[in-house]
């Protein structure tokens, strides 16, 4: 690919030729023709009730339009265009060929192949904001087309969209690509256009220790804020123990106040449980409802819903619409009677803040943040469990304690203090009777499947 600059960001020359001018793009973003993601998040924050957002993306343009209309009927506060794998990996020719020959085979919407004009059709088709979600370590062309299409919310980051998705992309490379994206957001902010930049804290989505999720997104948030980003949605994956999950969501704003510049607004986001999902409909629906309640109690601005068909594969539109409604029920005032043990939440908050501090402060103390992040992952001082990337050690082994909270069974080379190590060991207690570590970890991964075996 030969690269040229578009609004200061390096993009493929062939893609750049298809784009409108920067002036046209900014004028469109200012026009108000596209519903504002930032306004929706602020309204959720102010009311104390998170909006609900589904994932959705299909290859054909007409089908994508119909899917957005179908899901809009269920009442989400934001909708999604999920991007296909070819586009995520900048294989635009393959995406275009698949679009011509078999669009139903694509696992998402190939926005770059469709082009920004069709993107505007999607965004203007519904009266709620539309976010672009993908999984690309280098999203520059996709971001340029997304902006031209009028998308005011864009997910991803140089760590979270690299280590869970890629085998061998250096962190310095992905972080530099995302720096250009964030710098363009900063340029837009200076021009009066605020883009919601969402950070993907879910990572590998399997038994993710909350402090690792929070540490990674905090480092990405620092990098984004340094480039002028003014609105950050920081996502956290539901682990399943409500006191720990509520504490983690509440920690997001506390950490932002400690480590981010004043003037950067932050919105906590909950991804409903991303691990092995129960297959029974009643159990799955209960878990989706549980996610909504967790988001509400944690003060999230948004919750990404799941569906009752997660245990089987890609959900159909009806299941996704039902998932939206069930999650909305969990955030509604019907469940305002739910109370949890605030002392336990406070204890979890204290230790989460301590663990995150011990992870991020050695990194933040170094002058070059991308170099420090890459060096920390190379040395195991930052780590992501179960990552397929050669740039993460995956020496960390998580485990659930007796109440279901996710702790560290093994910490690898994470720079934890003696007190933090002792607390994790205490919460976990002695090794389980199943001395086989693999069997123990598998049981923890399949945590919610146990409910499938409960009496109907």
């Amino acid at each position: 690919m030969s690269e040229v600059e578009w609004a200061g960001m390096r993009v493929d020359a062939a893609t750049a030729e298809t784009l409108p001018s920067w002036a046209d793009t900014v004028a469109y973003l200012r026009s108000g023709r596209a519903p504002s993601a930032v306004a929706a998040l602020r309204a959720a924050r102010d009311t104390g009730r998170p909006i609900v957002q589904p994932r959705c993306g299909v290859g054909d343009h007409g089908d994508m339009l119909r899917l957005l209309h179908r899901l809009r009927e269920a009442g989400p506060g934001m909708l999604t265009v999920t991007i296909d794998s070819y586009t995520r990996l900048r294989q635009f020719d393959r995406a275009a060929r698949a679009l011509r020959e078999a669009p139903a085979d694509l696992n998402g919407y190939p926005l770059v192949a469709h082009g920004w004009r069709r993107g505007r059709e999607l965004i203007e088709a519904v009266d709620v904001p539309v976010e672009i979600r993908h999984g690309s370590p280098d999203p520059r062309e996709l971001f340029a087309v997304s902006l031209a299409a009028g998308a005011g919310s864009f997910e991803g980051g140089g760590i979270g969209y690299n280590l869970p998705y890629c085998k061998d992309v250096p962190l310095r490379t992905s972080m530099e690509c995302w720096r250009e994206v964030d710098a363009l957001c900063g340029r837009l902010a200076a021009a009066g256009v605020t883009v919601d930049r969402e950070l993907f804290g879910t990572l590998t989505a399997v038994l993710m220790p909350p402090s690792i999720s929070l540490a990674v997104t905090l480092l990405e948030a620092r990098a984004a804020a340094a480039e002028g980003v003014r609105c950050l949605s920081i996502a956290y994956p539901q682990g399943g123990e409500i006191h720990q999950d509520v504490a983690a969501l509440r920690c997001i704003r506390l950490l932002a106040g400690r480590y981010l510049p004043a003037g950067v607004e932050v919105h906590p986001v909950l991804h409903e449980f991303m691990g092995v999902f129960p297959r029974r409909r009643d159990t799955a629906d209960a878990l989706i409802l549980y996610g909504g309640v967790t988001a509400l109690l944690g003060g999230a601005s948004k919750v990404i819903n799941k569906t009752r068909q997660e245990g089987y594969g890609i959900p159909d539109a009806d299941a996704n619409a039902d998932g939206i409604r069930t999650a909305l029920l969990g955030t509604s005032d019907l469940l305002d009677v739910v109370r949890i043990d605030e002392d336990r939440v406070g204890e979890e908050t204290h230790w989460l803040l301590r663990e995150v501090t011990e992870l991020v402060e050695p990194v933040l103390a170094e002058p070059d943040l991308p170099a420090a992040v890459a060096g920390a992952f190379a040395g195991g001082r930052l780590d992501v469990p179960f990552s397929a990337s050669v740039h993460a050690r995956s020496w960390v082994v998580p485990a659930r304690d007796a109440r279901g909270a996710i702790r560290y069974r093994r910490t690898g080379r994470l720079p934890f203090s003696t007190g933090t190590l002792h607390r994790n060991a205490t919460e976990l207690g002695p090794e389980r009777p199943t001395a086989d570590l693999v069997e123990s970890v598998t049981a923890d991964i399949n945590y919610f499947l146990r409910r499938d075996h409960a009496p109907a």
Side-chain angles (χ1 to χ4, degrees), residues 67 70-71 73-74 281 285 288 305-309 314-326:
L67 181 58
R70 173 72 183 86
L71 296 183
E73 295 170 0
R281 177 170 178 168
D285 285 341
I288 295 166
N305 72 278
K306 281 289 188 178
T307 77
R308 54 178 158 78
Q309 292 179 343
I314 298 174
D316 60 30
D318 287 342
N320 208 348
D322 287 345
I324 295 167
R325 295 188 184 95
T326 306

Side-chain angles (χ1 to χ4, degrees), residues 9-92:
M9 185 173 66
R10 293 173 297 145
V11 297
D12 171 47
T15 302
E17 285 181 2
T18 69
L19 294 170
S21 69
W22 176 244
D24 176 274
T25 298
V26 174
Y28 184 81
L29 289 167
R30 283 175 168 163
S31 70
R33 292 168 66 183
S36 168
V38 175
L41 291 165
R42 287 173 179 166
R45 176 198 59 197
D46 294 344
T47 61
R49 300 209 177 273
I51 57 174
V52 175
Q53 178 182 357
R55 298 174 181 82
C56 58
V58 291
D60 180 76
H61 183 65
D63 289 343
M64 188 72 231
L65 276 169
R66 284 186 283 276
L67 181 58
L68 290 176
H69 282 299
R70 173 72 183 86
L71 296 183
R72 178 66 187 100
E73 295 170 0
M78 192 176 296
L79 281 164
T80 300
V81 171
T82 302
I83 302 300
D84 69 290
S85 297
Y86 291 136
T87 302
R88 296 178 192 182
L89 299 174
R90 304 178 78 203
Q91 297 174 356
F92 305 125

Side-chain angles (χ1 to χ4, degrees), residues 359 376 378-383 393 395-396 410-416:
L359 290 172
R381 299 185 302 281
L382 289 173
D383 206 354
R393 301 280 74 87
W395 288 330
V396 166
R410 296 179 182 174
T411 55
R413 293 182 183 171
L414 297 182
F416 283 146

Side-chain angles (χ1 to χ4, degrees), residues 233-270:
S233 291
I234 296 182
Y236 164 80
Q238 181 185 10
E241 202 289 311
I242 195 165
H243 302 88
Q244 186 180 47
D245 288 335
V246 166
L249 285 168
R250 293 179 184 176
C251 278
I252 289 172
R253 286 200 173 96
L254 296 173
L255 289 165
R258 181 185 295 178
Y259 291 107
L260 298 183
V264 176
E265 65 179 277
V266 167
H267 297 281
V269 174
L270 179 73

Side-chain angles (χ1 to χ4, degrees), residues 110-380:
L111 178 60
V112 174
H114 279 296
W116 60 274
R117 289 180 179 84
R118 284 189 168 182
R120 287 189 186 182
E121 286 181 26
L122 296 180
I123 285 169
E124 292 182 9
V126 287
D127 60 354
V128 295
V130 174
E131 181 178 49
I132 306 299
R133 309 181 73 89
H134 47 111
S136 176
D138 180 357
R140 292 172 296 177
E141 285 81 7
L142 177 60
F143 184 58
V145 177
S146 300
L147 282 182
S153 183
F154 196 75
E155 189 194 33
I159 307 170
Y161 266 11
N162 180 346
L163 298 182
Y165 290 99
C166 305
K167 180 71 174 177
D168 189 11
V169 175
L171 278 162
R172 292 295 300 265
T173 300
S174 58
M175 292 190 73
E176 172 56 24
C177 295
W178 280 94
R179 188 200 65 75
E180 292 188 31
V181 167
D182 290 332
L184 198 50
C185 290
R187 183 176 175 182
L188 281 168
V193 177
T194 304
V195 173
D196 168 45
R197 279 280 294 105
E198 184 168 328
L199 305 177
F200 184 65
T202 297
L203 300 172
T204 51
V206 181
L207 281 182
M208 188 56 55
S211 56
I212 286 182
S213 170
L214 295 172
V216 166
T217 51
L218 179 62
L219 293 170
E220 289 180 327
R222 276 281 288 241
E227 297 299 327
V229 172
R230 288 295 171 263
C231 180
L232 286 163
S233 291
I234 296 182
Y236 164 80
Q238 181 185 10
E241 202 289 311
I242 195 165
H243 302 88
Q244 186 180 47
D245 288 335
V246 166
L249 285 168
R250 293 179 184 176
C251 278
I252 289 172
R253 286 200 173 96
L254 296 173
L255 289 165
R258 181 185 295 178
Y259 291 107
L260 298 183
V264 176
E265 65 179 277
V266 167
H267 297 281
V269 174
L270 179 73
H271 282 265
E272 290 196 327
F273 187 66
M274 295 280 282
V276 182
F277 221 75
R279 294 172 71 90
R280 271 179 40 167
R281 177 170 178 168
D282 56 349
T283 317
D285 285 341
L287 183 53
I288 295 166
L289 180 73
Y290 189 43
V293 175
T294 302
L296 177 67
L297 294 172
S301 296
K302 186 172 73 174
V303 53
I304 313 293
N305 72 278
K306 281 289 188 178
T307 77
R308 54 178 158 78
Q309 292 179 343
E310 296 299 323
Y312 297 90
I314 298 174
D316 60 30
D318 287 342
N320 208 348
D322 287 345
I324 295 167
R325 295 188 184 95
T326 306
L328 276 171
L329 182 61
T331 67
S332 73
D333 57 7
L334 290 173
L335 294 173
D336 282 352
V337 295
V338 174
R339 297 288 183 271
I340 55 176
D341 185 339
E342 288 292 339
D343 289 340
R344 281 176 59 186
V345 174
E347 181 184 3
E348 293 289 348
T349 301
H350 166 80
W351 283 102
L352 278 176
L353 291 173
R354 178 166 172 170
E355 288 181 3
V356 175
T357 299
E358 292 174 1
L359 290 172
V360 303
E361 291 207 340
V363 180
L364 295 174
E366 297 187 35
D368 183 336
L369 181 58
V373 168
F377 274 103

